[in-house]
Amino acid sequence: MKRIVIFASGSGSNAENIIGFFQTKKSISVTHVLTNNQRAKVLNRCKRLNISSFVFDKNDFSETDKVLEFLKNEADYIVLAGFLWRIPSKIVEAFPNKIINIHPALLPKYGGKGMYGMNVHKAVKDNFETETGITIHFVNENYDEGAIIFQAKTDLEEEDTPQDIAQKVHELEYKYFPEVIEKVILKEEIG
């Protein structure tokens, strides 16, 4: 059984979608959700879904090895689902090509520090893009620069608002993120 630990900072809709997808799988399961935000709505979702969760702070994450040691004991893969902090190099080094992130744009466009959530969708709108999408990628030490695993696109209309764009992107996230995670893990196990 391959174990996924999800990191999330906010509402957790992607985390819930991933948890639901893997609940019926025999070889892969989501075992924990970790968050850096004690008020994150993902914690309520975890209670409802009976998934173990805990909150950590910057010190636990970057200065000590508390989070790293937890992951070494509890995770085979790490999935970032709306997690806003940069992953420390010690965690990246401990899980090479086993940390998967989703970004709400077609990287390399609209990536980097500060480019998350509505910031991305507003930038897409402000630049009159005719399409956007999602990028699922491995995580390295830099924001949104890891090797791309998968991208999916959606067309945009001139009248689309940033909220409309967000909705189109969410639909892609929900459709593809769990499937791509599963393919990465199964490919790793076979290969």
Side-chain angles (χ1 to χ4, degrees), residues 88-96 99 141:
S89 57
K90 63 186 175 184
I91 295 177
V92 173
E93 289 164 13
F95 291 88
I99 307 174
E141 292 84 0

Side-chain angles (χ1 to χ4, degrees), residues 18-70:
I18 294 163
I19 291 164
F21 181 86
F22 286 109
Q23 278 178 334
T24 60
K25 305 294 179 178
K26 293 191 179 356
S27 61
I28 304 168
S29 71
V30 176
T31 57
H32 298 83
V33 173
L34 278 57
T35 184
N36 59 319
N37 178 359
Q38 61 188 0
R39 292 185 300 279
K41 290 181 182 160
V42 72
L43 294 169
N44 297 330
R45 292 179 193 265
C46 289
K47 283 180 190 164
R48 183 168 40 80
L49 298 167
N50 203 24
I51 294 286
S52 177
S53 64
F54 80 78
V55 180
F56 61 88
D57 60 23
K58 202 73 145 167
N59 187 59
D60 295 337
F61 195 51
S62 301
E63 304 305 318
T64 72
D65 287 340
K66 185 175 180 180
V67 172
L68 175 61
E69 289 306 317
F70 176 86

Side-chain angles (χ1 to χ4, degrees), residues 74-185:
E74 301 292 337
D76 297 302
Y77 289 84
I78 300 164
V79 171
L80 309 184
F83 183 70
L84 302 182
W85 288 358
R86 189 178 62 78
I87 304 299
S89 57
K90 63 186 175 184
I91 295 177
V92 173
E93 289 164 13
F95 291 88
N97 290 329
K98 296 200 174 182
I99 307 174
I100 303 168
N101 184 43
I102 191 163
H103 186 75
L106 297 169
L107 292 174
K109 287 184 172 184
Y110 309 108
K113 189 170 174 58
M115 292 307 284
Y116 61 88
M118 289 306 289
N119 295 348
V120 173
H121 307 312
K122 287 176 183 167
V124 166
K125 174 69 176 172
D126 290 347
N127 284 291
F128 307 101
E129 296 287 354
T130 58
E131 66 180 12
T132 191
I134 58 167
T135 302
I136 299 170
H137 64 94
F138 289 116
V139 172
N140 65 15
E141 292 84 0
N142 301 311
Y143 283 111
D144 303 322
E145 291 182 13
I148 293 173
I149 302 166
F150 175 84
Q151 290 184 311
K153 297 177 182 179
T154 184
D155 291 330
L156 299 177
E157 305 300 328
E158 196 175 320
E159 63 273 8
D160 282 344
T161 66
Q163 291 76 15
D164 296 329
I165 296 168
Q167 182 57 42
K168 289 180 176 184
V169 168
H170 282 309
E171 288 172 13
L172 294 175
E173 291 172 343
Y174 299 152
K175 178 177 180 181
Y176 291 110
F177 200 18
E179 291 176 4
V180 171
I181 294 165
E182 181 180 43
K183 285 179 183 168
V184 167
I185 294 172

